[in-house]
Amino acid sequence: MVMDVGERDGDGEDGGWENMGEDNGTKSPTDLVDETVSMIEYVARFGDYRRAQRKECYNLARRMKILLPFFDEIRHHGSPISHTCVASLSRLKKAIRLAMKLLKTCNEGSKIHLALESEAIMIKFHNAYVKLTQALEELPFDELEVSDEVREQIELMLTQLTRAKKRTDTQDIELAVDLMAVSSKTDERNADIAIVERLAKKLDLHTVEDLKIETIAVKKLSKERGSTAESLQQIIQLLNKFKQVLGMEITNVLDDTDTPQKLSKCHSLVIPHEFLCPITLEIMRDPVIVASGQTFERESIQKWFDSNHRTCPKTRQTLAHLSVAPNYALKNLITQWCEKNNFHLPKKEDQASSRKFFVDHEDEISCLVEQLSSSQLEVQRKAVKNIRVLSKENPETRVLIAKHGAIPRLVKLLSYPDSKIQEHAVTALLNLSIDESNKRLITDEHAIPAIIEVLQNGSMESKENSAAALFSLSMLDENKVTIALENGIPPLVDLLQDGTIRGKRDAVTALFSLSLNQLNKVRAIEAGIVPPLMLLLEDKKLGMVDEALSILLLLATHAEGRHEMGQLSFIQTLVDIIKDGTPKNKECATSVLLELSSNNYSHILAALQFGVYEHLVEIAESGTNRAQRKANGLLQLMSKSEQIP
């Protein structure tokens, strides 16, 4: 499923670019310039880009165009160009070619594939920025007699590229949760139709024509990536779900090619880039998030910190703190991928022998599970701790632990007065719930009320892991209802209000998933979810503006939610975000304001008084595709209500 952007060009519709760029030393300066300019002009002819990478694509294409005046001056260079200059131009051409191929992929590729690979594609953009920066910094400007004006433009471009390399985008929690929810369903248990519809709209795959084009892109992908049949099936399943929503006929996407037979016989796998630790480039067993928002293997980042580093290894920015938070969403995705593809995570060489012994010997796991019911406190405590550790990293062990009856015993321990036993038990259940079948076993043991009890009264770490467990269990739609009926929403709101940063993030993720259910929106509003969400909007340092806006957008579809949000101070906050936020912030805030204003013209007037109009015009011209639609919708509402200044 990993895309080697820069390795293949496709079927050659680009006029043979796949044969250009490997200079053999015989290229003349004129040929180098002409071919490089042709590549930039080729990029300029691209239409729209795929939703997940649109902002980066437009920025990169714009920066490439900045170089055209430079090449024009080289064309008119009077004196002969030295071999050193030719070598520099050749390196620049290769960097341009890498960028062009990346943009071509984002222009033509499967939208579903690019969304699933969004983090890997961002790594490709980072690599393109690095290559362009290196090539531009090595240019001998004086020898090439580049004018001061053009040189200043290139120096500005270098500054922009440096800034782009340091930038870390806020996670699109709505897209990530929706992809997880839809992808985790089996053929017999279709995803919530509302999730499928929303995901289709976010990926711009909500018309018959969109899906026809996507089908062609998936067929092309199957030809290029014949060795990744397993990942292709996930893409095809999503594509078919989108087709079902529109009532289209479901056919085998690969029927008219020879690809299916080849794919069915191929068992080689490529690990998705986003599953690899940026430090070791190995698949992560225990992914954690650092203050910069980047994810690393826990052991690797800890060694980095132990070496007196206080920066993010990926972005190089100084970290505000050295605390890490488990990335349960990514870990869940890695585990599901491993289980689906029968991929065994490599054992750590220094792993304790007792742990390996338990993993490899079923009878010893059985003994460990029996000890969960021991009358001796220390035996119980040690057993539940070992179960927690074992359940964390091995898919087969999770199944084995459940098989030997650990789940009902762990559920009983949730009400145990010993706080450490309680903490280990709820975390073990969280780890076990990563397995889809275990989710149902945990639910059948009536664990949800006990987990909610821990969420209300446990230690802070127990509360955090309880919130994460409820999020994991809420992937089953029926559990969204059960959690709400068992009064699980109020303590999640309390954690959102008073928890640590990690606790707030666990709570906001669980609350977003629960609020996908229409009735739960009312329950969340009655539990007082709106005020802490507004605090998240005001405290930018927490880095959860998009997450808060995503939930507020869900709540704004309900009358009670609109009533809670319809304060002048909140409208002003939305306008401030529309004015000064990130592109994603602006998109979400504009969506919320449109939802509110569609039901109450007074909100339009209030927003206008706070100066929203000029910012909406700017977004309508240069915002993300979705933001442009929402901004235009607001401008039309203003026109109808005769409130345009």
Side-chain angles (χ1 to χ4, degrees):
M1 185 164 160
V2 173
M3 300 181 63
D4 284 329
V5 178
E7 292 300 322
R8 299 172 188 247
D9 274 337
D11 297 329
E13 298 112 326
D14 49 13
W17 296 117
E18 64 271 28
N19 298 319
M20 186 182 295
E22 300 301 325
D23 300 327
N24 55 17
T26 62
K27 295 283 186 182
S28 69
T30 301
D31 289 337
L32 283 173
V33 169
D34 288 344
E35 291 176 356
T36 307
V37 169
S38 294
M39 286 189 281
I40 296 175
E41 291 173 345
Y42 175 67
V43 167
R45 293 195 297 269
F46 286 159
D48 199 7
Y49 293 95
R50 299 321 193 210
R51 181 256 182 210
Q53 294 83 24
R54 187 169 291 140
K55 180 181 70 174
E56 294 296 332
C57 289
Y58 281 129
N59 287 340
L60 181 54
R62 175 174 52 79
R63 289 166 185 144
M64 291 168 66
K65 295 174 188 176
I66 292 174
L67 294 174
L68 290 175
F70 165 76
F71 289 113
D72 189 57
E73 288 195 358
I74 301 300
R75 275 198 179 107
H76 297 91
H77 191 271
S79 55
I81 296 180
S82 68
H83 290 297
T84 302
C85 291
V86 171
S88 296
L89 291 173
S90 179
R91 285 191 289 273
L92 179 57
K93 174 192 166 184
K94 291 179 180 179
I96 294 292
R97 182 175 186 269
L98 176 65
M100 179 205 70
K101 295 172 76 175
L102 176 55
L103 292 173
K104 182 176 185 290
T105 298
C106 294
N107 174 255
E108 300 177 355
S110 159
K111 294 179 179 180
I112 300 173
H113 185 54
L114 289 171
L116 292 170
E117 293 287 351
S118 59
E119 193 170 330
I121 298 297
M122 285 306 301
I123 294 174
K124 298 294 183 181
F125 274 102
H126 185 273
N127 185 46
Y129 299 149
V130 170
K131 297 295 184 184
L132 278 172
T133 300
Q134 292 173 345
L136 291 171
E137 288 177 340
E138 293 172 4
L139 287 174
F141 292 105
D142 292 335
E143 187 175 346
L144 290 169
E145 300 176 359
V146 177
S147 67
D148 290 341
E149 180 183 357
V150 169
R151 187 166 182 170
E152 287 174 1
Q153 289 179 328
I154 293 178
E155 287 173 350
L156 176 61
M157 178 180 176
L158 281 169
T159 301
Q160 294 173 339
L161 287 171
T162 300
R163 190 181 303 124
K165 286 188 292 183
K166 293 179 180 178
R167 182 177 59 245
T168 54
D169 291 334
T170 304
Q171 181 190 19
D172 186 342
I173 187 173
E174 182 176 344
L175 179 61
V177 171
D178 285 357
L179 280 170
M180 188 191 308
V182 174
S183 300
S184 66
K185 304 293 182 179
T186 63
D187 292 337
E188 295 78 24
R189 191 169 59 253
N190 289 327
D192 185 338
I193 189 68
I195 302 178
V196 178
E197 289 178 345
R198 184 175 61 252
L199 186 56
K201 290 180 180 178
K202 287 179 74 68
L203 296 179
D204 291 328
L205 290 173
H206 51 92
T207 69
V208 173
E209 186 62 26
D210 289 337
L211 292 174
K212 287 181 178 178
I213 295 172
E214 177 68 6
T215 301
I216 295 172
V218 172
K219 288 181 180 179
K220 182 177 179 181
L221 180 66
S222 72
K223 294 178 181 178
E224 297 174 0
R225 313 295 173 190
S227 62
T228 57
E230 295 83 357
S231 61
L232 271 175
Q233 290 307 310
Q234 182 185 15
I235 295 171
I236 292 170
Q237 287 171 8
L238 281 173
L239 177 60
N240 286 339
K241 287 177 181 178
F242 295 151
K243 289 182 176 180
Q244 285 177 330
V245 169
L246 291 180
M248 295 176 64
E249 181 182 358
I250 305 301
T251 59
N252 188 336
V253 172
L254 309 179
D255 259 349
D256 57 348
T257 70
D258 294 330
T259 308
Q261 293 179 347
K262 297 178 182 178
L263 293 179
S264 63
K265 296 178 181 178
C266 182
H267 302 288
S268 61
L269 287 175
V270 180
I271 301 173
H273 276 311
E274 60 266 35
F275 294 174
L276 304 179
C277 174
I279 296 176
T280 63
L281 295 182
E282 296 178 352
I283 189 167
M284 288 184 279
R285 304 156 60 91
D286 188 10
V288 295
I289 304 171
V290 300
S292 64
Q294 302 296 323
T295 297
F296 302 87
E297 172 66 28
R298 183 187 294 274
E299 182 178 339
S300 301
I301 194 63
Q302 191 58 54
K303 288 180 179 178
W304 174 264
F305 291 155
D306 291 343
S307 301
N308 294 321
H309 291 103
R310 295 297 180 267
T311 57
C312 172
K314 191 171 180 181
T315 67
R316 299 298 174 178
Q317 68 186 84
T318 301
L319 297 175
H321 57 80
L322 301 185
S323 300
V324 299
N327 191 336
Y328 290 118
L330 179 60
K331 185 172 182 178
N332 198 7
L333 291 174
I334 293 174
T335 301
Q336 290 176 359
W337 181 86
C338 290
E339 292 172 348
K340 180 178 180 180
N341 295 291
N342 196 28
F343 180 88
H344 300 279
L345 287 170
K347 300 285 192 301
K348 295 181 181 178
E349 293 182 357
D350 61 347
Q351 194 174 21
S353 59
S354 60
R355 185 182 304 176
K356 183 178 186 301
F357 185 76
F358 286 137
V359 170
D360 293 341
H361 296 79
E362 186 171 350
D363 56 339
E364 293 301 328
I365 288 183
S366 176
C367 177
L368 189 60
V369 171
E370 287 294 326
Q371 291 174 355
L372 292 175
S373 301
S374 172
S375 59
Q376 301 179 40
L377 179 63
E378 284 304 316
V379 173
Q380 271 189 314
R381 187 180 291 168
K382 185 176 180 179
V384 71
K385 182 178 180 180
N386 284 335
I387 290 288
R388 169 183 178 171
V389 172
L390 286 171
S391 63
K392 184 170 70 170
E393 53 196 347
N394 189 293
E396 292 158 344
T397 305
R398 276 191 285 276
V399 174
L400 200 55
I401 291 172
K403 173 184 174 183
H404 283 279
I407 289 176
R409 298 170 192 250
L410 288 170
V411 173
K412 289 182 180 179
L413 291 179
L414 291 177
S415 58
Y416 206 86
D418 185 273
S419 61
K420 291 307 292 185
I421 287 181
Q422 191 180 78
E423 177 188 315
H424 292 320
V426 75
T427 309
L429 288 169
L430 165 63
N431 296 336
L432 292 172
S433 73
I434 295 173
D435 179 85
E436 199 70 20
S437 59
N438 283 350
K439 280 185 174 66
R440 296 208 173 275
L441 292 176
I442 293 170
T443 302
D444 291 344
E445 289 298 327
H446 307 289
I448 288 176
I451 294 174
I452 293 173
E453 180 70 24
V454 176
L455 176 63
Q456 291 173 318
N457 303 311
S459 65
M460 182 53 69
E461 184 172 351
S462 296
K463 290 182 177 181
E464 293 166 353
N465 291 342
S466 296
L470 291 177
F471 165 66
S472 179
L473 293 174
S474 73
M475 291 295 100
L476 299 180
D477 289 335
E478 58 267 32
N479 283 346
K480 289 182 175 66
V481 178
T482 302
I483 292 169
L485 292 177
E486 294 292 343
N487 209 31
I489 291 179
L492 284 172
V493 172
D494 291 341
L495 185 62
L496 183 65
Q497 175 78 44
D498 303 317
T500 62
I501 293 178
R502 173 184 164 186
K504 291 177 186 292
R505 194 170 293 279
D506 288 329
V508 79
T509 307
L511 286 165
F512 177 86
S513 178
L514 293 172
S515 297
L516 295 173
N517 177 281
Q518 184 69 14
L519 292 177
N520 285 350
K521 296 175 184 178
V522 181
R523 296 180 177 115
I525 294 165
E526 291 175 346
I529 191 176
V530 174
L533 288 176
M534 291 183 178
L535 290 176
L536 292 185
L537 297 183
E538 296 170 5
D539 192 349
K540 305 292 192 301
K541 294 179 181 179
L542 294 176
M544 286 182 262
V545 172
D546 291 338
E547 290 88 333
L549 287 170
S550 295
I551 297 181
L552 288 168
L553 180 58
L554 289 177
L555 302 180
T557 62
H558 197 281
E560 290 191 30
R562 292 192 294 273
H563 176 73
E564 285 290 318
M565 286 179 254
Q567 309 165 20
L568 284 178
S569 59
F570 179 59
I571 302 300
Q572 184 173 9
T573 298
L574 288 179
V575 174
D576 290 341
I577 294 172
I578 290 171
K579 175 184 176 183
D580 299 319
T582 66
K584 177 61 178 174
N585 290 165
K586 293 179 179 181
E587 175 186 310
C588 292
T590 304
S591 300
V592 174
L593 183 58
L594 176 60
E595 189 66 42
L596 292 175
S597 301
S598 298
N599 294 275
N600 191 331
Y601 278 160
S602 67
H603 296 320
I604 296 178
L605 181 59
L608 284 169
Q609 291 174 339
F610 291 124
V612 76
Y613 182 74
E614 61 181 292
H615 306 301
L616 289 177
V617 172
E618 181 182 347
I619 291 173
E621 294 176 351
S622 59
T624 65
N625 190 43
R626 180 170 181 249
Q628 288 180 355
R629 294 198 304 271
K630 300 298 183 180
N632 283 320
L634 272 168
L635 291 172
Q636 289 174 9
L637 278 178
M638 292 174 182
S639 177
K640 291 178 182 178
S641 62
E642 300 181 349
Q643 296 294 347
I644 289 185

